[in-house]
Amino acid sequence: MRGQATSPSLDGIRGTLPRARANARSVAALTQNPGCTRRRVIDSAGLPAHDLAAKLGRPTLRGQSPFAIEGGNRFEDRLKERSGYGLLVEALAPYVELPMPPGLVVEDVNQVGGKVGSKAWMDARVAKTDEVLAKITSGDSTAPHIVDHPVLRFDLAGAEVNLEPDALAFRVGDRLELVEIKSYPIIDGQADPGKLSATAGQTAVYHMALRSTLERLGFDPDLLVWSVILVAPRNFGRQPVAHRVPLKKKSLSLSRVLSAVPKTAEVLAGLPADLTFDVDPGGTMDEATLRAALTKAVQQVGALFVPDCVTACDMAAFCRAEAWAKDDPARLGRDARDNLAGVHTLADALRLAEDGPAAGEDELADVAEALGAARSAIVRARSLVPTADLTPVPAVPPAGGAA
């Protein structure tokens, strides 16, 4: 059993700022750069990274437009509420056989009562999800065919998180299936590769969390099929179509990465005891003062920026500017970061390549040797390139003209 991070430390970092819900995208971002303490602290404290980046003056420019989000919500609502889940059952028919309404039984976990968004409401949804999954997995005849809006609670490197997948879980024979609804089109049987890859990565997080939940409830996690059934619009119309997307490789990779990252308590132990990102609880600071105070607080937590972060993390623009200001080798990519470990700036790397290690830099001798060899190779290559002849070419006289 992993140790839990003490909540006062995480609560102190968050302060009075609103708590963000964990999601598959934030977990996926952690697994893509597990050594980044800054991202880890932000997620563990439940801070919305996109709001934090905006207050720092480096807002993210990624994400769906409001129109795309609204279109996605309409497509999902049409599959579910507006058709009584009938359209969803029809789309899934090539892969799973479920009864059509009114014979279809659906459990909407959102309908547990209580104040929406409160901790008690979330806890009740977790308990209801556990109860329904136990019924489905044990073959209870009263179990629903579909679970909508489930909440999966699992341990994320020592911090308890709740994930709220759009996915639906149900049992077909002796197997559990996972479904994800997306609004981007599948054209002639093919989806956009980038969007499909992102969907697979995020759904693999839900898959991993569902396996963890089954194991916690005492069931065999291998009951869950190693894939997701993606439901999306066919071509550019409104008719849904389903495709099976394999997840085993991604899901196992996620599990391996998360099992190797340091526990949250260990990460917090290396931070200042009075660290907080709630630098203006009274709301009295002007924008410039708030930005300066928040920047100072955030920079107390080390980041591990690489260019790949731009596609996965809402803090990437802030961390990129910081990396450039520090002349950090990591701004050139993961290979540069790893190969130049211990070299603090690119200027230092150039110095090592030209002059070798200075006194007291014996641990960088191998790095200096490699950089020196690379520099010599570049010099030799350049010496073999012919010098360009920059003499102007005389104009060709027109036909019949004087030479």
Side-chain angles (χ1 to χ4, degrees):
M1 184 73 177
R2 292 177 175 176
Q4 295 293 315
T6 55
S7 55
S9 297
L10 295 175
D11 288 344
I13 292 171
R14 188 178 63 255
T16 62
L17 299 174
R19 179 188 288 274
R21 293 179 181 177
N23 56 55
R25 188 165 166 268
S26 65
V27 176
L30 168 63
T31 60
Q32 289 175 19
N33 197 3
C36 184
T37 301
R38 182 175 295 166
R39 178 75 203 210
R40 179 72 176 281
V41 168
I42 289 171
D43 289 339
S44 297
L47 288 162
H50 54 89
D51 289 350
L52 195 63
K55 290 180 180 178
L56 289 164
R58 300 284 181 176
T60 178
L61 301 178
R62 296 180 295 104
Q64 287 183 298
S65 70
F67 302 103
I69 293 173
E70 178 61 26
N73 290 338
R74 286 199 304 268
F75 178 70
E76 183 172 348
D77 183 61
R78 182 167 177 263
L79 291 181
K80 296 179 180 178
E81 302 297 331
R82 287 169 57 191
S83 67
Y85 292 83
L87 275 178
L88 180 60
V89 171
E90 288 180 3
L92 297 173
Y95 300 99
V96 296
E97 185 177 349
L98 296 173
M100 288 290 292
L104 183 75
V105 179
V106 177
E107 181 70 53
D108 186 349
V109 180
N110 271 348
Q111 309 302 318
V112 294
K115 182 181 178 181
V116 175
S118 67
K119 184 179 185 302
W121 180 69
M122 187 65 71
D123 289 344
R125 290 176 65 200
V126 171
K128 189 64 175 180
T129 300
D130 287 355
E131 175 191 329
V132 173
L133 281 176
K135 279 187 175 182
I136 294 174
T137 308
S138 61
D140 189 324
S141 60
T142 65
H145 301 105
I146 292 177
V147 184
D148 201 2
H149 304 114
V151 180
L152 305 172
R153 176 170 290 172
F154 78 117
D155 178 89
L156 179 60
E160 189 178 79
V161 299
N162 300 316
L163 289 178
E164 303 177 63
D166 295 329
L168 313 171
F170 46 88
R171 184 164 184 150
V172 181
D174 63 347
R175 307 290 281 172
L176 275 169
E177 291 275 7
L178 196 62
V179 176
E180 181 75 3
I181 299 171
K182 292 294 183 184
S183 61
Y184 55 77
I186 297 178
I187 303 171
D188 293 333
Q190 300 292 324
D192 177 271
K195 293 179 179 179
L196 185 61
S197 177
T199 295
Q202 292 174 19
T203 309
V205 175
Y206 296 137
H207 190 278
M208 176 190 64
L210 185 49
R211 283 179 60 86
S212 176
T213 300
L214 291 172
E215 195 169 18
R216 174 169 55 80
L217 295 174
F219 296 101
D220 181 2
D222 286 335
L223 288 171
L224 181 62
V225 176
W226 288 102
S227 63
V228 63
I229 302 176
L230 171 64
V231 179
R234 185 197 302 272
N235 299 326
F236 293 102
R238 302 173 63 199
Q239 189 66 25
V241 63
H243 286 268
R244 188 180 292 280
V245 179
L247 292 179
K248 188 169 186 176
K249 183 177 180 181
K250 284 184 176 290
S251 186
L252 290 176
S253 176
L254 282 171
S255 298
R256 285 194 298 271
V257 171
L258 291 178
S259 66
V261 299
K263 296 177 182 178
T264 302
E266 297 171 0
V267 173
L268 295 175
L271 301 176
D274 59 349
L275 176 68
T276 182
F277 289 174
D278 185 18
V279 295
D280 185 25
T284 59
M285 294 182 180
D286 59 56
E287 184 177 347
T289 305
L290 171 62
R291 182 174 300 172
L294 186 57
T295 298
K296 183 178 179 180
V298 170
Q299 288 182 335
Q300 292 184 75
V301 185
L304 199 59
F305 174 80
V306 290
D308 298 356
C309 295
V310 174
T311 63
C313 181
D314 290 321
M315 290 291 294
F318 176 82
C319 298
R320 177 176 58 190
E322 182 183 52
W324 276 81
K326 292 180 177 180
D327 198 26
D328 191 335
R331 66 188 176 92
L332 298 182
R334 293 179 187 272
D335 288 343
R337 180 192 71 186
D338 296 341
N339 292 329
L340 295 177
V343 181
H344 301 298
T345 68
L346 290 174
D348 286 336
L350 183 58
R351 173 180 58 79
L352 288 168
E354 294 177 342
D355 305 325
E361 291 184 330
D362 294 342
E363 73 280 1
L364 297 178
D366 59 329
V367 177
E369 182 180 354
L371 289 171
R375 180 178 179 277
S376 298
I378 292 173
V379 170
R380 287 195 303 272
R382 285 177 173 172
S383 69
L384 299 176
V385 177
T387 303
D389 183 0
L390 301 180
T391 304
V393 178
V396 177

